[in-house]
């Protein structure tokens, strides 16, 4: 139908007005070209960072090590003799490629060798191609198939071994075997025809002796835990579209949740000659979250075991001698939580004459030295910084090698540096000082260490050091990122701002698109993971999210990530913010951080803020629209633990405490579903056995009952995930549509993603 020309000026003026009303940043963003650039960045990080060792491996009991790195040629393998300080090719890659070609009947490039799980020895290299284990001796380079292996069966993370069944355990002197029969402990002589002997008689189906029987080194004693079993908690998963049949399958997993009953263990010691049974007092170890398998002292004088009281506010190390006397060597308590899952460390010196122990009792994670009776001798490390990991204890020289963070002035407090310190706390010496995050690889004798240090905004430098002094012996590699920069990739910016208290520094990163224009405005998207078990903002160049944040930014966004209060690796007070309040998620710090960033960079449009996260991040991202809708407008939540009562016990009771109380419901997204504002997309894999899918379904049920509008994607056959490639595409489209107000490009362009290279 012809259009009246009298209407054209009006139509064009309305269109011009519409364009004028669009935020400047949304013009030309979220288009097909932006999606194509994002795809080009996928994998660019790995392929275009040269001379950055990806794997470092020392040869056993040797001063030799090797590493592989990407160069302009491809993958190159290098061998280093630390003693002679000589660097050379690890092997003849051309000869190896030729030999592999003959073996496989395919053309093999010397710098694209098609293998995995490589092991390098002095005289050969072995590796896997598919299921085949192949070895190539360096004298002939005649590669041969040594073995064909079956893929290892995947193990369920929550699976528990059945301690009622186990193989007989021989005594160290070979005179006896010990075993479980009819729920009780039995021994049998291996040197005579004497009948078996029962050492216990009180085992039963409901309270049995564990098959983890521990002989004393002198073969005269046995120790074992007696277990009062709990009732398993099963979750049910429907596999709607199995690959081997038409009809769906029902799967089950054993999955303990907060408040469920737990096994209770009682250490029991048996004296073989007298057949005497000695039992630890139940009152000392009541209401267990966990009690470890007792371990013998080398001189057979006693056993030790660790006791974590349920609620994670009391943690003890006990010693029980062969008279049955029991005493605490270490007693750790907290008014909030003891981070047993992340910072627990114990080392027994000289068979228990001293103990090295990690604790946050002074507000920071530090090391302490006890004598063998349980008396504190001295604090080894101290100050407003944290010990991150004990690397090695040198008993002979009474030196501890460890990693710490937050000690060096003017550096990111999360950067890991290497230190040494004497047992008495003297001689604390930084072995690395460069302003970066240090990754270390030690020779078996700890004489040498390969150190690769970098920042998200500075590529890695890799050196060989003398461990005792930190002296650089060889400069191995300095990464070249010019090929990466040639793609248009923008360096990540580190940004720091004050948190909710106006005093504490909050550290994060800002990611911009390759075609960034400071004259435009950009919606801001936060990637969130606020799980209290760690900190999560990338600190090393090669862990910069492998480009995924950059891919999202490429669509026309500023993408940010930060570690708010309630996460780990800072002070105990910083960490305690999460206690019984996972709903907090550090949001007051995150919002303050973004407001500070937008004040410095006005092109960050805080009227259009999105957020996405997975798992605990899924809980937080959905919670952002429930509790902070004035700030966050669009959220994508995948695999979310939306109610901590529905999630795994170990993680949630660690931070939310025990017993279960009203605070669990107060942190639940399901409880607050009626508060939803903004645009929400939920993504879920139907076979998620990390977070019970019913957590998301119950949240959906509450949203429907509250008549709330939201989007939901369930991916058949998928486990705990952000949604895979399909979910990633939906997530990008969701932000483009609701933050840029642009209809995403038709999906037909993805049917064959062969994107022109720049």
């Amino acid at each position: 139908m012809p259009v009246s020309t009298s209407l054209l000026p009006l139509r064009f003026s309305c269109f011009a007005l519409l364009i004028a009303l669009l935020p400047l940043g949304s013009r030309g963003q979220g288009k097909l070209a932006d999606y194509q650039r994002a795809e080009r960045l996928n994998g660019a990080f790995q392929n275009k960072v040269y001379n950055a060792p990806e794997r470092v491996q020392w040869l056993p009991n040797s001063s030799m090590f090797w590493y592989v790195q990407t160069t302009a040629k491809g993958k190159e393998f290098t061998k280093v003799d630390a003693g002679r300080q000589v660097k050379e090719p690890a092997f003849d890659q051309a000869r190896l490629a030729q030999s592999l070609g003959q073996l496989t009947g395919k053309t093999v490039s010397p710098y694209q060798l098609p293998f995995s799980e490589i092991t390098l020895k002095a005289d050969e290299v072995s590796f896997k191609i598919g299921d085949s284990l192949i070895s190539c001796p360096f004298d002939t380079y005649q590669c041969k198939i040594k073995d064909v292996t079956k893929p290892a069966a995947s193990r369920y993370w929550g699976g528990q071994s059945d301690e009622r069944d186990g193989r007989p355990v021989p005594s160290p002197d070979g005179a006896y075997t010990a075993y479980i029969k009819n729920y009780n402990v039995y021994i049998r002589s291996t040197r005579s025809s004497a009948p078996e002997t029962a050492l216990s008689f009180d085992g039963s189906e409901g309270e049995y002796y564990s098959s983890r029987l521990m002989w004393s080194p002198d073969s005269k004693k046995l120790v074992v835990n007696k277990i009062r079993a709990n009732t398993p908690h099963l979750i049910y998963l429907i596999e709607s579209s199995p690959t081997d049949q038409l009809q769906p399958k029902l799967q089950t997993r054993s999955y303990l949740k907060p408040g469920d009953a737990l096994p209770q263990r009682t250490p029991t010691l048996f004296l073989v000659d007298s057949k005497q049974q000695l039992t630890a007092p139940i009152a000392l170890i009541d209401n267990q979250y966990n009690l470890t398998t007792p371990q013998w002292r080398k001189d057979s004088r006693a056993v030790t075991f660790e006791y974590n009281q349920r609620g994670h506010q009391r943690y003890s190390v006990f010693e029980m001698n062969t008279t049955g006397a029991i005493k605490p060597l270490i007693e750790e308590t907290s008014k909030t939580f003891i981070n047993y899952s992340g910072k627990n460390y114990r080392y027994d010196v000289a068979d228990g004459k001293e103990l090295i122990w990690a604790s946050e009792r002074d507000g920071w994670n530090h090391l302490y030295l006890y004598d063998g009776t349980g008396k504190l001798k001295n604090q080894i490390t101290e100050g407003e910084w944290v010990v991150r990991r004990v690397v090695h204890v040198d008993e002979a020289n009474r030196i501890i090698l460890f990693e710490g963070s937050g000690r060096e002035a003017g550096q990111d407090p999360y950067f890991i540096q290497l230190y040494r310190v004497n047992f008495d706390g003297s001689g604390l010496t930084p072995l690395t000082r460069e302003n970066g995050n240090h990754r270390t690889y030690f020779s078996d004798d700890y004489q040498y260490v390969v150190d690769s240090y970098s920042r998200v905004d500075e590529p890695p430098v890799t050196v060989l050091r003398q461990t005792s002094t930190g002296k650089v012996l060889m400069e191995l590699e300095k990464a070249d990122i010019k090929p990466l920069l040639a793609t248009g990739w923008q360096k990540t910016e580190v940004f720091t701002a004050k948190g909710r208290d106006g005093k504490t520094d909050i550290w994060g990163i800002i990611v911009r698109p390759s075609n960034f224009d400071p004259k435009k405005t950009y919606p801001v998207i936060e990637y969130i993971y606020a799980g209290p078990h760690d900190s999560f903002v990338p600190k090393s160049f090669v862990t910069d999210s492998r480009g995924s944040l950059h891919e999202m930014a490429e669509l026309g966004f500023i993408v940010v990530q930060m570690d708010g209060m309630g996460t780990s690796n800072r002070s105990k007070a910083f960490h305690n913010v999460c206690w019984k309040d996972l709903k907090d998620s550090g949001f007051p710090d995150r919002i303050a951080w973004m407001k500070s960033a937008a004040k410095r960079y006005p092109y960050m449009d805080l009227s259009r803020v999105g957020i996405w996260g997975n798992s605990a991040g899924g809980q937080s991202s959905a919670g952002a629209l429930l509790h902070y809708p004035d700030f966050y407008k669009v959220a994508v939540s995948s695999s979310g633990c939306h109610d901590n009562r529905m999630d795994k016990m170990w993680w949630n009771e660690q931070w939310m405490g025990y017993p279960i109380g009203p605070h669990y419901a107060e942190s639940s997204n399901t409880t607050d579903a009626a508060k939803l504002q903004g645009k929400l997309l939920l993504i879920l894999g139907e076979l998620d056995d990390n977070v019970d899918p019913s957590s998301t379904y119950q949240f959906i049920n509450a949203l429907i009952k509250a008549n709330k509008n939201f989007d939901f994607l369930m991916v058949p056959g998928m486990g705990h995930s952000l949604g895979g490639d399909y979910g990633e595409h939906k997530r990008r489209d969701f932000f483009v549509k609701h933050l840029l107000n642009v209809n995403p490009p038709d999906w037909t362009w993805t049917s064959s993603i062969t994107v022109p290279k720049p």
Side-chain angles (χ1 to χ4, degrees), residues 6 17 83 89 120 169 222 248 267 285 290 301 331 377 437 460 531 604 655 672 718 726:
S6 63
L17 178 62
L120 188 67
V169 181
L222 268 172
I285 50 175
N290 186 46
R301 71 185 185 275
E331 287 274 17
K377 295 182 71 172
N437 196 43
M604 294 175 63
W655 321 116
D672 292 327
M718 183 162 283
Y726 190 89

Side-chain angles (χ1 to χ4, degrees), residues 134-193:
I134 298 173
S135 67
C136 294
F138 292 146
D139 56 349
T140 65
Y141 279 92
Q142 294 299 310
C143 295
K144 297 180 180 180
I145 297 177
K146 292 179 63 176
D147 193 14
V148 177
T149 61
K150 294 182 179 179
S154 59
R155 294 186 62 185
Y156 168 50
W157 68 268
Q160 296 179 329
S161 60
D162 188 348
E163 294 185 41
R164 287 171 293 191
D165 298 320
R167 295 180 179 178
V169 181
S171 60
D173 64 3
Y176 292 97
T177 57
Y179 52 94
I180 301 299
K181 178 180 177 181
N182 297 328
Y183 312 111
N184 282 291
V185 179
Y186 281 74
I187 60 172
R188 183 191 298 275
S189 172
T190 61
R191 297 174 179 173
S192 72
S193 59

Side-chain angles (χ1 to χ4, degrees), residues 403-687:
E403 294 175 343
S405 61
R407 184 178 181 273
E408 306 308 310
Q411 293 189 13
D412 184 325
Y414 296 93
F415 281 171
I416 292 175
Q417 300 280 3
L418 182 66
Y419 300 89
R420 57 176 286 176
V421 67
N422 297 323
F423 280 17
D424 64 4
S426 66
L428 177 61
T429 305
L431 301 175
T432 59
R433 292 180 179 272
E434 295 86 353
N435 186 10
N437 196 43
H438 291 253
R439 291 183 164 188
T440 52
Y441 309 85
F442 293 87
S443 60
D444 285 351
D445 61 4
Y446 291 93
Q447 183 177 350
Y448 303 105
V449 56
V450 177
D451 173 25
S452 181
Y453 59 90
S454 66
R455 306 196 303 259
V456 292
D457 55 354
E458 287 293 333
V461 173
T462 306
V463 299
L464 173 68
R465 297 181 187 271
Q466 182 182 55
T467 305
S468 59
T469 64
K471 178 184 177 182
V472 174
L473 302 176
M474 293 181 69
E475 293 186 357
L476 298 171
E477 305 292 346
K478 188 172 183 179
D480 177 8
I481 63 168
K482 290 191 292 291
L484 178 63
L485 295 175
T487 68
W489 178 87
Q490 295 277 326
K491 274 190 178 184
T492 300
E493 178 185 351
V494 178
F495 186 81
T496 310
K498 300 301 179 185
R500 69 186 76 186
D501 58 4
K503 299 181 295 183
T504 305
D505 284 337
I506 303 298
W507 289 73
I509 56 174
I510 299 173
V511 178
R512 300 172 177 85
S514 62
N515 61 352
F516 171 71
D517 182 350
K519 296 179 181 179
K520 291 185 176 183
T521 60
Y522 294 83
V524 177
I525 302 178
E526 178 186 356
Y527 172 65
I528 186 170
Y529 192 91
H533 56 280
D534 207 345
S535 52
F536 304 97
V537 174
K539 298 300 172 183
S540 299
F541 193 81
V542 293
T543 60
D544 184 10
S545 299
R546 290 301 190 196
S548 62
L549 302 189
H550 288 268
E551 292 168 34
M552 181 65 78
E554 207 62 28
L555 303 181
F557 304 111
I558 300 293
V559 178
V560 299
Q561 185 181 358
M562 72 286 305
D563 284 313
M565 292 186 189
T567 52
S568 190
N569 299 322
R570 300 282 289 274
S571 70
K572 187 69 168 72
F574 190 100
H575 203 184
N576 278 344
V577 170
C578 73
W579 174 238
K580 293 188 175 182
D581 189 15
L582 288 178
K583 177 177 69 175
D584 180 276
S585 295
F587 278 124
D589 310 301
R590 299 170 185 279
I591 293 170
W593 186 95
M594 281 185 269
K595 287 181 177 179
S596 294
K599 187 175 181 179
R600 179 181 297 183
Y601 303 119
Y603 50 76
M604 294 175 63
D605 183 359
L606 296 191
S607 69
R608 297 180 291 159
V609 178
I611 185 170
W612 97 89
N614 185 65
S615 196
Q619 178 181 11
S620 299
S621 55
L625 298 188
L626 306 179
H627 309 300
Y628 299 93
D630 292 340
F631 189 80
Y632 295 96
K633 306 302 181 185
V634 183
V636 180
S637 164
S638 55
S639 303
C641 42
H642 298 287
D643 189 317
N644 300 105
R645 296 166 295 185
M646 293 293 296
D647 195 24
K648 63 195 78 66
M649 175 193 287
W650 78 264
W651 193 87
N652 291 274
E653 285 193 11
Q654 168 78 94
W655 321 116
M656 292 294 287
Y658 176 87
I660 311 307
H663 58 286
Y664 272 81
E666 291 165 3
S667 279
S668 168
N669 287 344
T670 302
T671 300
D672 292 327
K675 297 180 180 179
L676 177 67
Q677 298 182 48
K679 302 295 184 180
L680 173 65
L681 169 62
L682 299 172
I683 300 176
L684 179 66
E686 68 176 359
L687 296 182

Side-chain angles (χ1 to χ4, degrees), residues 12 28 62 183 245 303-304 308 333 346 357 376 391 426 428 471 486 502 525-526 543 619 662 700 738 747 750:
F12 283 123
S62 170
Y183 312 111
Q245 66 183 50
V303 296
T304 63
N308 184 3
T333 60
R346 168 187 155 204
W357 180 253
L376 178 64
V391 175
S426 66
L428 177 61
K471 178 184 177 182
I525 302 178
E526 178 186 356
T543 60
Q619 178 181 11
I700 288 173
H738 295 296
W747 280 32
T750 65

